[in-house]
Amino acid sequence: MEQKRIIMDDKAMSRAIARISYEIVERNKGTEDLVIVGVFSRGVPIGKRIADKLSELEKTDVPFGTLDITLYRDDRTDTEHDEQTDIPFDITDKNVVVVDDVLFTGRSARAALDALIKRGRPKTIQLAVLVDRGHRELPIRPDYVGKNMPTSHSEEVKVSVTEIDGSDSVSIY
């Protein structure tokens, strides 16, 4: 696949993550009872950056966990999977912000909801995404968006993060 263009460079990604973090603090009136959960794979480092920024802004530790949605996806029939979820805190009565890299059809977000509900009953579940590219198949809408990026079905959005890919960027292919 050929890269069409870079939509966000490392500075734009950093600004988007900071903006999302400020919006989370505003909406939740601080970070009390707030937890961040990153969806594997690229939602994990993005979520960790948001949790770190929130901790810096509010001078308190914001719990962070990781969520493996593989077993909850409706497009997989493979049940042989070692789940990598690591949520070392109770989510019951918490405001949970689920973080993912790209929101497209909404199916990953639905799978994340199923995986979370299995682990407790949060007060609220909010969705933060770095990129919303449209084309929803399910009635799911993000609460926090780094960049709205209308795309065609034939295009692919690729998020690169330093922790996995060696650099930060968002590109269209």
Side-chain angles (χ1 to χ4, degrees):
M1 227 181 291
E2 185 179 323
Q3 182 181 21
K4 280 185 163 180
R5 64 187 180 277
I6 294 176
I7 302 302
M8 297 175 83
D9 61 11
D10 58 337
K11 289 180 178 67
M13 280 181 62
S14 181
R15 285 191 302 271
I17 288 168
R19 187 175 60 257
I20 289 169
S21 301
Y22 279 104
E23 290 175 9
I24 290 169
V25 169
E26 283 292 316
R27 177 172 177 175
N28 292 281
K29 297 175 178 61
T31 56
E32 187 176 334
D33 292 329
L34 185 73
V35 299
I36 306 295
V37 176
V39 176
F40 275 105
S41 64
R42 284 165 182 79
V44 170
I46 295 167
K48 180 68 173 127
R49 293 179 197 182
I50 289 171
D52 291 346
K53 184 68 174 175
L54 292 170
S55 295
E56 175 190 321
L57 291 171
E58 294 293 298
K59 310 286 190 259
T60 184
D61 279 339
V62 175
F64 174 74
T66 62
L67 189 63
D68 183 350
I69 62 168
T70 306
L71 295 175
Y72 300 90
R73 293 188 56 92
D74 61 7
D75 60 350
R76 300 250 336 214
T77 56
D78 174 20
T79 57
E80 294 296 317
H81 176 75
D82 292 329
E83 190 174 358
Q84 299 177 43
T85 294
D86 181 22
I87 301 177
F89 45 82
D90 187 7
I91 64 169
T92 300
D93 291 326
K94 301 291 184 193
N95 295 308
V96 179
V97 178
V98 176
V99 179
D100 207 353
D101 58 348
V102 178
L103 180 59
F104 183 32
T105 62
R107 294 190 179 278
S108 292
R110 188 221 36 93
L113 291 171
D114 288 349
L116 276 175
I117 297 298
K118 184 177 180 186
R119 287 167 174 76
R121 186 183 169 116
K123 187 185 310 179
T124 64
I125 300 175
Q126 301 163 35
L127 178 61
V129 296
L130 186 62
V131 176
D132 182 354
R133 63 172 287 193
H135 304 288
R136 226 62 90 242
E137 294 175 3
L138 299 173
I140 290 177
R141 181 185 52 108
D143 298 283
Y144 313 100
V145 179
K147 183 164 187 73
N148 284 296
M149 193 166 57
T151 60
S152 73
H153 277 285
S154 64
E155 293 174 316
E156 185 175 322
V157 175
K158 169 88 166 99
V159 174
S160 297
V161 290
T162 303
E163 297 87 339
I164 297 171
D165 308 297
S167 65
D168 286 342
S169 67
V170 178
S171 301
I172 289 186
Y173 290 82

